[in-house]
Amino acid sequence: MALPLLLVGGALGAAILADQREKRHALERQRHSGVDPQQLNGKAVGLHPSLWQSGHKQVKPKPGAIICCFVYGVIEHTGIWLDDNTLIELHGNGLIRAVSTARFLAGRTGTKIYVACNHAHQPLIDGEVLHRAEMEIFSYREYDLFDNNCHRFVWSCLSGVEESLPSFNDFNKKLAQYFEQSIYWDEALIDIR
């Protein structure tokens, strides 16, 4: 009796994955045609970077760009691009620090850094984000994985507002609302050193 249930469950899971993949492909087709999905349905969309799909285009990060990488394929770690090979992050020990791209990825399973971009592959940057982030370097926060994490730090540098963002999904939705457009995570064109 358990075998038929496993087969049904497996088929259902495969159907859900296929549906999600098709929705992502539809959004990518709209993006490549130069149309922001927000223009079609009036709602900003925040897509996640994908472990399973390689990017169609790499983007050179600019100072103040919002970046992320994977941590064990389950969660994402976010930061703010500073310059050619440096970014600002909130480390798990609570220290806000400037680190190299290699250091940002060290101890994480991700091998790529992604940049928050619009539908035209342009990094989304706000004028104050870099200044706020630079002012926080070498300061400490009482780190908490769900309440006072890297997403909250990046969001506070962007918006100037301290707000709990327990997950990358919450952070991504805030970005889409803030920039009033869909968020795409393009692979960064960088040297990992």
Side-chain angles (χ1 to χ4, degrees):
M1 188 65 176
L3 184 59
L5 289 176
L6 287 174
L7 292 174
V8 169
L12 182 60
I16 290 170
L17 285 174
D19 182 55
Q20 290 299 315
R21 185 175 47 245
E22 179 51 39
K23 286 179 181 177
R24 184 173 180 97
H25 288 309
L27 286 171
E28 287 294 331
R29 284 191 298 274
Q30 290 171 355
R31 181 184 190 189
H32 292 298
S33 68
V35 176
D36 182 354
Q38 183 188 3
Q39 296 168 346
L40 299 177
N41 64 17
K43 183 179 177 187
V45 178
L47 296 177
H48 288 252
S50 175
L51 283 171
W52 315 112
Q53 178 183 10
S54 60
H56 299 287
K57 184 170 182 170
Q58 290 183 318
V59 173
K60 182 83 174 149
K62 296 179 180 175
I66 298 162
I67 53 98
C68 78
C69 71
F70 287 111
V71 181
Y72 304 110
V74 179
I75 60 173
E76 291 86 0
H77 177 53
T78 54
I80 299 166
W81 192 259
L82 183 59
D83 62 26
D84 289 336
N85 188 37
T86 310
L87 52 98
I88 302 169
E89 70 168 359
L90 170 61
H91 189 261
N93 65 7
L95 176 65
I96 296 169
R97 61 190 190 165
V99 296
S100 70
T101 52
R103 186 71 193 112
F104 184 71
L105 292 172
R108 300 184 173 102
T109 57
T111 58
K112 298 176 183 175
I113 293 176
Y114 297 88
V115 182
C117 294
N118 65 15
H119 72 284
H121 303 283
Q122 298 166 332
L124 296 170
I125 300 170
D126 180 82
E128 290 295 312
V129 69
L130 189 58
H131 174 71
R132 287 181 182 136
E134 288 176 323
M135 297 301 293
E136 293 291 321
I137 294 174
F138 298 122
S139 65
Y140 282 89
R141 289 177 172 234
E142 191 66 36
Y143 184 85
D144 180 271
L145 181 60
F146 298 107
D147 186 50
N148 199 6
N149 54 25
C150 59
H151 312 316
R152 180 178 182 151
F153 165 68
V154 172
W155 177 248
S156 70
C157 291
L158 180 65
S159 68
V161 175
E162 288 289 339
E163 186 174 349
S164 178
L165 296 170
S167 72
F168 182 79
N169 190 48
D170 296 322
F171 174 69
N172 216 13
K173 287 177 184 176
K174 285 288 195 184
L175 287 181
Q177 292 169 356
Y178 184 86
F179 287 108
E180 297 179 341
Q181 58 188 303
S182 299
I183 306 297
Y184 296 90
W185 291 91
D186 290 328
E187 184 180 337
L189 178 62
I190 53 174
D191 289 329
I192 306 296
R193 29 184 173 123

